[in-house]
């Protein structure tokens, strides 16, 4: 059985995929802005009961999205992997969006600090890295790039602003994608440390060098 | 309970696996009951944060995420046990940085659940510091007045028993360790500043500068260290720049003396108020040599028994978290719910 964990957005989900039946055995979705860490354990307990604490693969969505959401997903995946001895792989959450028109689509999202990201998904695989666009140019750039293509976003405020459809990553799609991975692909992915998909380096404001005595007391 | 071959040969129990990720140290400990620490691994991020002169929360969280899993594997290997034989899981739930706490706390909860619904204890980081002087003591936890001094806290607590803590006094502004760090920054000393001031002060004259002993006669058990920082701020422009090594050493020694004098005086008042005969000292600042020296002398003079946390347990570590979890499990304290979230502002006592 494959357990899939997708917590990169407030609409989070878990799913179990039965390899023998080649179908989703169990799924659960929940909504939380910031409390993934406290809300996830009750459905997770149910999932472990359904699979009898026996998993042959764990897959987790790495975002991009909420940093703490993704970190909760990774921490859960790592904890389960250690305790159950199952391999764990991370996949971009962008490839696990619920699309209506097939496996080729665009995903846009709020990338914070006045920017929007746009990512291209082809055959349920990410093409290159997401691009960051300044919100001031986003209207024009996105109008060109999204013309005639299915474009999805998990961020409600972007729906009307850019005329795109509201959808998000989900554990059911993620589990199906993981089920399609070959053994050597699993081995390669499982060897990588799980890390959230960061759209940019950490935002750090560095202090200016100060001469002794000339320093602000407010620091 | 049947034990597999991967349990320790002389097992006392319960076997605890504890995770700590409240600030910039990722730590994993495995302990057999209260008395045997089988592994205590710490992955320090101090070098990563040094260029910024302080802990950068986002950087800390990114590194906890990467460091924790290999560190758990390493701790299990060093302890010579496998995950199936762990009886109790524990993790720090606060106080600390939310994005850092989340990583250790969530991982420990997932471990407890997946290991077959084993008990999980959500631990207050400050309770770890509070009880750390008793680690390795066959007499166990005893009633005392406790001074816990770290980068984030300055607490005087009346410890009446496990889980029975009364807050006697705390700081109104900066924590003692925070004052050390901020003054070190003002003096241009490298991060982390506390140990650096301690080192510089050894060659200095503690009476060279007369810094204020704030609230030393306030009659209560409150602290204030921000005035001391201000005094240093106004002292510096009066001195020749750059500071001579002697002057720097004198400044460090005099500043340190002022902090230590207040801590010692208030700790003695706390002993008198509580009527206890045992004083404990713990937290990162309790590594400070002058504090250890003056507190020891004052306690000896007043016939007070003093227990100071071992240096290894003064700074952040997971062994103290395992110790609290072991104490709770052995005292039959109800385990925590997995539905409980972390709390960056978690309090120890009111």
């Amino acid at each position: 059985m494959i357990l899939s964990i997708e917590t990169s957005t407030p609409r989070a989900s878990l799913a179990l995929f039965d390899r023998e039946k080649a179908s989703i055995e169990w799924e659960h979705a929940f909504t939380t802005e910031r409390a993934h860490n406290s809300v996830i354990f009750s459905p997770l307990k149910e999932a472990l009961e359904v699979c009898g604490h026996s998993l042959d693969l764990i897959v987790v969505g790495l975002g991009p999205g909420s940093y703490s959401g993704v970190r909760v997903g990774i921490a859960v995946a790592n904890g389960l992997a250690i305790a159950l001895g199952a391999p764990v792989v991370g996949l971009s959450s962008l490839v696990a969006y619920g699309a209506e028109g097939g496996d080729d689509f665009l995903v846009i999202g709020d990338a914070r600090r006045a920017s929007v990201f746009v990512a291209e998904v082809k055959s349920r695989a990410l093409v290159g890295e997401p691009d960051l666009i300044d919100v001031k140019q986003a209207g024009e750039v996105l109008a060109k790039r999204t013309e005639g293509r299915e474009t999805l976003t998990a961020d409600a405020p972007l729906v009307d602003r850019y005329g795109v459809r509201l959808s998000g990553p989900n554990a059911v799609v993620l589990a199906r994608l993981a089920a399609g991975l070959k053994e050597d692909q699993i081995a390669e992915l499982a060897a990588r440390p799980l890390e959230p998909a960061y759209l940019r380096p950490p935002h750090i404001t560095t202090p200016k060098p100060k001469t002794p005595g000339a320093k602000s007391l407010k620091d | 309970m049947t034990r597999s071959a991967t349990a320790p040969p002389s097992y006392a129990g319960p076997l605890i696996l504890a995770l700590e990720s409240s600030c910039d140290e990722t730590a994993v400990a495995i302990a057999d009951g209260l008395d045997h620490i089988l592994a205590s691994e710490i992955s320090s991020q101090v070098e990563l944060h040094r260029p910024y002169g302080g802990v950068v929360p986002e950087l800390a969280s990114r590194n906890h995420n990467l460091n924790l899993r290999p560190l758990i594997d390493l701790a299990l290997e060093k302890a010579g046990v496998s995950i199936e034989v762990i009886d109790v899981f524990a993790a720090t739930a606060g106080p600390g940085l939310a994005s850092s706490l989340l990583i250790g706390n969530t991982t420990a909860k997932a471990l407890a659940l997946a290991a077959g619904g084993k008990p999980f204890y959500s631990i207050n980081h400050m309770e770890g510091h509070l009880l750390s002087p008793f680690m390795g003591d066959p007499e166990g936890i005893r009633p005392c007045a406790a001074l816990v001094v770290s980068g984030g806290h300055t607490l005087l607590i009346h410890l009446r028993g496990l889980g029975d803590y009364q807050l006697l006094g705390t700081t109104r502004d900066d924590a003692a360790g925070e004052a050390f760090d901020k003054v070190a920054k003002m003096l241009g000393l490298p991060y982390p500043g506390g140990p650096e001031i301690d080192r510089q002060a050894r060659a200095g004259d503690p009476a060279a500068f007369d810094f204020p002993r704030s609230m030393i006669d306030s009659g209560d058990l409150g602290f204030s260290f921000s005035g001391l920082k201000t005094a240093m701020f106004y002292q510096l422009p009066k001195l020749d720049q750059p500071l001579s090594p002697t002057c720097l050493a004198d400044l460090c020694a005099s500043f340190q003396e002022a902090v230590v004098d207040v801590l010692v005086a208030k700790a003695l008042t706390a002993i008198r108020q509580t009527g206890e005969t045992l004083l404990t000292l713990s937290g990162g600042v309790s590594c400070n040599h002058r504090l250890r020296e003056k507190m020891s002398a004052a306690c000896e003079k007043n016939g007070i028994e003093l227990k100071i946390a071992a240096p290894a347990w003064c700074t952040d570590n997971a062994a103290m978290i395992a110790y609290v979890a072991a104490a709770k499990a052995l005292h039959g304290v109800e385990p925590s719910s997995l539905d409980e979230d972390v709390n960056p502002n978690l309090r120890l006592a009111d």
Side-chain angles (χ1 to χ4, degrees):
Chain A
M1 205 93 83
I2 299 171
L3 174 70
S4 145
I5 304 164
E6 173 44 61
T7 51
S8 67
T9 67
R11 183 70 177 160
S13 50
L14 298 173
L16 281 172
F17 183 89
D18 188 324
R19 282 192 193 271
E20 279 165 30
K21 296 185 201 158
S23 65
I24 295 292
E25 180 71 17
W26 173 93
E27 59 178 287
H28 181 90
F30 56 95
T31 303
T32 174
E33 281 299 326
R34 291 174 180 279
H36 293 88
N37 172 42
S38 47
V39 187
I40 197 170
F41 283 95
S42 165
L44 187 63
K45 184 166 184 259
E46 196 184 318
L48 291 178
E49 279 159 13
V50 170
C51 71
H53 278 69
S54 171
L55 294 171
D56 56 53
L57 182 63
I58 299 160
V59 59
V60 58
L62 301 177
S66 151
Y67 283 176
S68 52
V70 175
R71 286 182 185 130
V72 165
I74 291 176
V76 165
N78 276 332
L80 297 184
I82 294 169
L84 302 174
V88 53
V89 299
L91 293 176
S92 168
S93 299
L94 296 169
V95 302
Y97 272 56
E100 286 175 347
D103 292 336
D104 300 349
F105 51 89
L106 294 177
V107 176
I108 68 167
D110 182 354
R112 314 281 164 188
R113 273 170 268 153
S115 63
V116 173
F117 76 79
V118 54
E120 185 174 351
V121 175
K122 208 164 186 179
S123 306
R124 288 279 168 194
L126 197 56
V127 181
E129 291 293 314
D131 293 320
L132 293 182
I133 307 164
D134 191 297
V135 276
K136 288 186 204 114
Q137 280 95 51
E140 202 182 326
V141 174
L142 290 178
K144 274 188 208 149
R145 280 194 68 172
T146 62
E147 198 187 344
R149 309 181 65 178
E150 181 175 19
T151 306
L152 311 168
T153 187
D155 297 318
L158 302 194
V159 170
D160 290 336
R161 196 183 304 159
Y162 303 113
V164 297
R165 192 167 70 80
L166 187 67
S167 178
N170 73 71
V172 167
V173 179
L174 197 66
R176 289 186 190 280
L177 290 170
L181 292 172
K182 298 186 180 67
E183 258 179 60
D184 57 331
Q185 288 175 306
I186 292 174
E188 199 224 314
L189 287 169
R192 292 188 203 165
L194 296 175
E195 198 173 16
Y198 297 117
L199 293 171
R200 49 164 78 88
H203 181 62
I204 302 169
T205 46
T206 44
K208 292 186 191 89
K210 300 244 169 81
T211 42
K215 201 171 177 333
S216 159
L217 274 178
K218 296 232 161 106
D219 283 14
Chain B
M1 192 184 293
T2 54
R3 316 293 320 178
S4 84
T6 47
S10 59
Y11 170 80
L15 268 186
I16 319 266
L17 188 147
L19 308 182
E20 152 66 37
S21 65
S22 63
C23 190
D24 62 335
E25 319 280 20
T26 317
V28 181
I30 297 170
D32 180 6
L34 286 168
D35 299 326
H36 304 285
I37 294 153
L38 305 177
S40 175
E41 299 305 312
I42 300 172
S43 170
S44 172
Q45 299 181 17
V46 68
E47 293 303 327
L48 280 170
H49 298 276
R50 196 190 300 281
Y52 311 107
V55 176
V56 180
E58 176 55 21
L59 202 56
S61 185
R62 287 186 182 203
N63 285 284
H64 285 307
N65 174 71
L66 283 175
N67 297 341
L68 188 56
R69 190 169 175 193
L71 208 61
I72 295 172
D73 292 338
L74 182 67
L76 287 166
E77 197 189 311
K78 284 211 175 168
V81 299
S82 61
I83 196 80
E84 308 87 67
V85 301
I86 300 292
D87 300 308
V88 170
F89 292 85
T92 306
L97 301 167
S99 58
S100 287
L101 287 164
L102 209 52
I103 291 169
N105 191 263
T106 309
T107 306
K109 291 201 283 191
L111 281 168
L113 180 62
K118 300 275 179 71
F120 165 75
Y121 286 98
S122 183
I123 305 293
N124 185 315
H125 180 81
M126 298 315 294
E127 190 172 10
H129 280 305
L130 177 71
L131 301 184
S132 63
F134 297 105
M135 291 169 71
D137 182 347
E139 283 187 66
I141 298 159
R142 285 180 284 150
C144 64
L147 175 62
V148 186
V149 266
S150 68
H153 297 86
T154 309
L155 305 171
L156 272 168
I157 288 168
H158 186 190
L159 188 164
R160 291 175 289 219
L162 179 72
D164 186 0
Y165 315 128
Q166 184 200 352
L167 182 66
L168 302 171
T170 184
T171 180
R172 296 183 174 183
D173 37 59
D174 291 349
E178 196 178 354
F180 268 91
D181 288 341
K182 286 178 175 175
V183 163
K185 234 176 170 179
M186 270 186 217
L187 294 172
L189 295 173
Y191 170 86
E196 199 58 33
I197 288 188
D198 189 358
R199 203 166 7 257
Q200 293 284 345
R202 289 188 206 193
D205 174 6
F209 297 91
D210 185 21
F211 287 122
R213 270 72 173 159
S214 303
M215 296 179 68
I216 200 162
D217 298 317
S218 64
D220 64 9
L221 292 169
F223 298 91
S224 167
F225 293 107
S226 68
L228 186 51
K229 185 182 65 186
T230 310
M232 178 65 82
F233 179 79
Y234 286 111
Q235 183 64 57
L236 282 175
K238 296 179 195 161
L239 303 169
D240 290 337
Q241 304 288 343
L243 297 170
S244 71
T246 316
C247 183
L248 181 64
D250 286 348
L251 281 169
C252 287
S254 302
F255 160 78
Q256 179 176 275
E257 199 74 359
V259 177
V260 167
D261 281 351
V262 177
L263 292 175
V264 170
K266 299 274 177 176
L268 293 181
T269 310
I271 277 285
R272 275 193 295 274
Q273 266 190 27
T274 56
E276 299 293 352
T277 54
L278 172 66
L279 176 72
T280 63
L281 177 60
S282 58
V285 180
S286 65
C287 282
N288 182 278
H289 288 85
R290 190 64 176 156
L291 178 60
R292 287 181 169 238
E293 195 178 289
K294 286 196 103 172
M295 196 70 90
S296 301
C299 286
E300 205 180 310
K301 194 178 149 197
N302 290 282
I304 300 159
E305 185 190 351
L306 175 66
K307 284 183 76 69
I308 309 181
W313 314 134
C314 286
T315 45
D316 290 352
N317 66 85
M320 66 181 190
I321 304 302
Y323 183 81
V324 179
K328 288 189 176 207
L330 290 167
H331 276 74
V333 175
E334 191 72 19
S336 312
S337 161
L338 300 184
D339 304 332
E340 218 175 90
D341 208 344
V342 298
N343 181 355
N345 303 310
L346 191 61
R347 291 172 70 92
L348 182 57
D350 290 300

